[in-house]
Amino acid sequence: MSNALQLNNYKKLISGIMPAKDVPSAGNYIRNYRKKNIVRYTDLQRREAYVATLETFLRQYYPGCTLEMHGSCINGFGNKNSDIDLCLKTAPFRVEVNHQHNTIVHIARILVTDHCQGVEDATAITETRIPIVDITFKDMKIDLCVNQFVSIESSKLLRQYTYCNDRLAGLGLFIKDFVKEMGIDKEHGGFSSFPCILLLIHYLQHTNPVSLPVLNQYVTSNNESYGDLILGFFKYFASFNFKDHVVTINQHPILTRNAAGFRSPIAIQAPFDVTANVTDGIKDGVAHRIKEIFAKSAKVLSQPQDRRYGNFMEMLVNKVKLSSFMQLGHQLLALFTLAYYFLIRIPICLWN
């Protein structure tokens, strides 16, 4: 199926959808979720203790090095159960990019062989775009990279955006959890947390009125409800022209693929390294499923709330999955019908 035909199908699926007035529990769900999962002072103390232990140990091998947290534990989109993302800054000793692989392998080895306090396991993961050490403590997972300063600055940028709109963090947590529940997360070839948040920020920069600013631009007040914004998010990206355009938070005008030079079926530009596509690993089949799920989610949210479900997330996930199951049933019925006519009815008619 061509990209143009797929886009028309998604637009047809979401056509006629009204604002999300029938999903009043969206706001309650998000507020309750944040309240239950908020990072408390004791959680911060526990994380800082692990960081201090690692920093003290690593300074024996990398004098003057420091560890700095980044990712969901500081960007405003984490919860009390979030893992720790750490960056080892090796100054005054610089580790060149092409030597980071060896540094990661070395750190993973010494953490285990030299018995860093509390470390149960450490594994070097070097096949990814950014090599990391996967470190396991008894009740905490830590991913450690080396001199990835852009990751630190990106985390600070996302944090600043949460200060611009107090609904952003709650919406981001919802979108991250929804992507995981629907099986379109990183483990299934889809979105990691960072692209999810970039999608959300891009959408909120394009609401009417605008909900979030592009850098150095003034933004007016947008008072839409959580339900309206969630529905708007799914509608926006179900009809987004991924074939020709790139998702970016760096500018309000549309960014074309030709200008960015990206090739993956869903392209999201990194905020600082504008030559980087943070979704370059997504394949065509997964991209098709993502867009289909977004369109079906918008369709579900246009219908009256089904009170049989325990909460908003449970309702949305189950009804989208049911919609996909029913679509598969219709496709199978069509195949069986064709098979019946070609293998039974037509031969009987020809025989007679």
Side-chain angles (χ1 to χ4, degrees):
M1 184 183 296
S2 69
N3 286 307
L5 185 56
Q6 286 183 9
L7 182 60
N8 288 334
N9 287 343
Y10 298 137
K11 288 181 176 179
K12 183 178 179 181
L13 182 57
I14 66 172
S15 63
I17 292 176
M18 301 300 291
K21 304 302 182 183
D22 293 317
V23 287
S25 63
N28 289 336
Y29 173 83
I30 291 173
R31 282 187 287 269
N32 289 337
Y33 180 89
R34 290 192 69 190
K35 185 177 180 180
K36 288 189 295 184
N37 291 277
I38 192 170
V39 178
R40 305 190 184 280
Y41 182 66
T42 53
D43 300 317
L44 288 174
Q45 283 184 311
R46 184 165 60 94
R47 291 175 180 177
E48 288 170 355
Y50 285 122
V51 175
T53 296
L54 285 173
E55 189 173 75
T56 300
F57 176 84
L58 290 172
R59 280 181 174 173
Q60 300 174 72
Y61 307 88
Y62 301 93
C65 75
T66 56
L67 291 176
E68 186 167 347
M69 287 189 280
H70 64 98
S72 60
C73 58
I74 68 157
N75 66 15
F77 297 94
N79 57 50
K80 63 183 181 182
N81 298 315
S82 295
D83 297 340
I84 301 176
D85 294 310
L86 283 180
C87 178
L88 173 69
K89 300 193 290 186
T90 59
F93 302 103
R94 182 176 179 181
V95 177
E96 299 295 338
V97 173
N98 57 344
H99 293 155
Q100 288 183 9
H101 176 284
N102 294 336
T103 304
I104 289 295
V105 172
H106 176 246
I107 292 172
R109 179 175 57 80
I110 61 176
L111 285 171
V112 175
T113 59
D114 294 2
H115 307 291
C116 178
Q117 180 184 349
V119 172
E120 295 185 347
D121 191 24
T123 304
I125 301 176
T126 57
E127 297 80 13
T128 53
R129 184 171 63 90
I130 298 176
I132 63 169
V133 183
D134 184 358
I135 306 169
T136 303
F137 286 86
K138 182 178 180 180
D139 59 349
M140 181 61 68
K141 297 277 288 184
I142 296 177
D143 290 338
L144 184 145
C145 61
V146 177
N147 290 344
Q148 294 294 330
F149 304 114
V150 171
S151 296
I152 295 173
E153 295 306 315
S154 296
S155 300
K156 293 177 180 178
L157 174 64
L158 297 192
R159 184 73 182 183
Q160 290 300 315
Y161 268 115
T162 65
Y163 298 148
C164 296
N165 190 318
D166 59 6
R167 293 167 296 175
L168 176 60
L171 289 166
L173 289 170
F174 175 83
I175 297 299
K176 284 170 56 177
D177 279 1
F178 177 79
V179 162
K180 186 175 181 180
E181 290 286 339
M182 295 306 305
I184 51 176
D185 55 341
K186 185 178 181 179
E187 290 188 7
H188 298 86
F191 295 129
S192 62
S193 295
F194 188 46
C196 284
I197 303 306
L198 294 182
L199 282 174
L200 178 61
I201 292 174
H202 173 92
Y203 161 65
L204 293 174
Q205 290 173 336
H206 290 79
T207 56
N208 186 19
V210 172
S211 302
L212 281 178
V214 176
L215 297 182
N216 300 321
Q217 289 188 1
Y218 174 76
V219 59
T220 55
S221 176
N222 182 306
N223 296 316
E224 288 184 285
S225 69
Y226 278 112
D228 288 334
L229 291 172
I230 291 171
L231 171 60
F233 172 87
F234 288 128
K235 286 182 63 179
Y236 181 87
F237 285 111
S239 58
F240 188 86
N241 184 3
F242 285 104
K243 179 179 181 291
D244 299 316
H245 299 154
V246 172
V247 175
T248 180
I249 68 171
N250 295 326
Q251 62 184 54
H252 196 274
I254 293 296
L255 176 64
T256 65
R257 279 183 177 272
N258 287 339
F262 299 150
R263 295 185 178 181
S264 64
I266 292 180
I268 304 177
Q269 185 184 53
F272 292 105
D273 182 2
V274 296
T275 64
N277 172 16
V278 300
T279 49
D280 57 0
I282 292 181
K283 306 302 182 185
D284 288 331
V286 176
H288 172 76
R289 185 160 181 261
I290 288 170
K291 289 181 278 188
E292 189 173 49
I293 285 174
F294 283 2
K296 289 178 179 177
S297 298
K299 195 73 172 179
V300 166
L301 294 180
S302 72
Q303 299 165 355
Q305 178 87 32
D306 192 332
R307 303 295 177 180
R308 294 175 298 173
Y309 296 98
N311 58 57
F312 178 76
M313 177 70 82
E314 182 184 345
M315 179 275 297
L316 179 58
V317 168
N318 280 279
K319 295 195 79 172
V320 170
K321 288 182 177 179
L322 178 62
S323 173
S324 298
F325 179 77
M326 292 177 64
Q327 181 180 10
L328 177 61
H330 290 150
Q331 292 172 343
L332 289 174
L333 179 60
L335 284 174
F336 284 134
T337 302
L338 286 173
Y340 171 74
Y341 274 96
F342 277 103
L343 299 178
I344 299 176
R345 293 293 298 170
I346 292 177
I348 289 175
C349 292
L350 291 174
W351 181 265
N352 293 333

